[in-house]
Amino acid sequence: MTLHRSTRFLLASAALCAFAGPAFALDGQDLLNKINASFASGGTTIKADAIEVSGSDVLLKGVKFGVEGDATDKPLAIEQLTLQGVSEEEGGAYFIDRVEFPEVNVTEEKSSFKVQDLYLAGVYVPGDVKAEGIDSLMFYEEAHSGPVDVTVDGKSVFSMAEAVGTMGLSDDESTITFEGSVTGVKADLSTVEDAQAKAQIEALGLTKLDGNMNMSGSWEVESGTIDIEDYSIDFANVGKLSLAFSMSGYTLDLVKQMQEQARMMQAQPQNEQAQQAAGLAMLGLVQQLSLVDAQIRFEDAGITKRGLDFAGKSQGTDGAQMAQMVKGMVPILLAQAKLGALQNEVSAAVNAYIDNPKALTIAAAPANPVAFPMIMGAAMGAPETIPGLIGLKVTAND
């Protein structure tokens, strides 16, 4: 399997030279069956009233997306779905150059929802979902959404300029890389009707939100090491929240087992015993994971001071006095958490941040990967050992 256009072009050219005969027509139903086989682990099914093949294009008409076994969920209906540049690959797999989705434009009573320019590019559909390694996975080179707009009473309450996600494969096909971005996110909270909530939103300066989201990382499939290098949300005049982490044990076999448990939970949403059993099974699967490192960081852009001012006003004082109250309460709360020597470090970081709000960082960097069961056991039985176990550090304004 390969995702490189140049390789596919050379293979296609070689095939044309070797077989100077009539081309075989694509089997649109087989393609849909294999797409559904890939989606089955997540419980999603795709049905089409009609399938038309024209050259290398496959047109699905009367498409319905649904959840298997959920009779209460109304399927999402799409008039047609166009799969362009479909080619058969080795092992019964398919490669689709582009999947075009129609524009979404839904109006219900006083609200409307509109999405434009939806497509997937470079989609690989496995020939056998039980194959070894990456060959069993369905993935894409690019997923794209153009402008999104949600209106209420003719006024835009949420909009997004563009969302793009990309995936890549290393030359030795051992690692999948991924990146994503959402730009031009705007939300208008001035339409909130609840008086108390509206007052809080205005006091915190959240009436108009404008921001972006980004994500990047990689997954070594065989070793099961997943590395989220950056997952961040950044809003103007509010701040930037960033998350990064790396863990091992996230193997393809584990992923498929977790998907199967999720499918079972979706198939029996009203069966409490089945839900509990699947939940326990999922918890058991998670215990195969180990923490390599992690970091949560918040960079302030004005929300901290406004939050202290608002909290102070609600207590009959001002932001400066509230800041001192918070600084006094933190050691008391930390003492209850039994964090040992980390208590002083956290108090110092919180004090520095409140005095000059720039950034607050919580990082875990153990000397060696730590199994999640050890972390959970320590949290329940000896929380004071957690800082040393996972190398926990809390810093401010660094």
Side-chain angles (χ1 to χ4, degrees), residues 211-229:
N212 304 295
M213 299 174 62
N214 289 284
M215 183 181 72
S216 62
S218 62
W219 179 29
E220 295 179 6
V221 180
E222 185 174 347
S223 67
T225 299
I226 185 166
D227 184 14
I228 304 298
E229 299 170 2

Side-chain angles (χ1 to χ4, degrees), residues 203-332:
L204 294 173
L206 302 178
T207 305
K208 304 283 187 181
L209 293 177
D210 185 353
N212 304 295
M213 299 174 62
N214 289 284
M215 183 181 72
S216 62
S218 62
W219 179 29
E220 295 179 6
V221 180
E222 185 174 347
S223 67
T225 299
I226 185 166
D227 184 14
I228 304 298
E229 299 170 2
D230 175 50
Y231 188 97
S232 59
I233 305 173
D234 189 359
F235 282 99
N237 301 317
V238 176
K240 180 180 180 180
L241 179 63
S242 302
L243 170 68
F245 69 88
S246 180
M247 62 182 180
S248 60
Y250 194 73
T251 62
L252 185 56
D253 181 59
L254 176 61
V255 171
K256 291 185 175 181
Q257 290 182 63
M258 294 177 71
Q259 289 176 336
E260 177 61 21
Q261 292 301 323
R263 187 192 65 78
M264 293 174 62
M265 294 175 74
Q266 290 176 345
Q268 304 181 69
Q270 307 302 323
N271 189 327
E272 186 174 343
Q273 290 185 340
Q275 291 289 310
Q276 290 177 348
L280 289 173
M282 188 74 79
L283 183 61
L285 293 173
V286 170
Q287 292 185 12
Q288 299 179 39
L289 302 173
S290 295
L291 174 69
V292 177
D293 56 48
Q295 177 177 289
I296 300 175
R297 178 179 174 85
F298 179 71
E299 299 175 39
D300 181 72
I303 190 65
T304 301
K305 183 179 184 306
R306 295 197 300 273
L308 290 171
D309 289 342
F310 174 75
K313 186 177 181 180
S314 65
Q315 296 292 324
T317 182
D318 57 21
Q321 289 297 319
M322 178 53 65
Q324 296 305 315
M325 290 173 61
V326 171
K327 291 164 66 173
M329 291 170 58
V330 168
I332 299 174

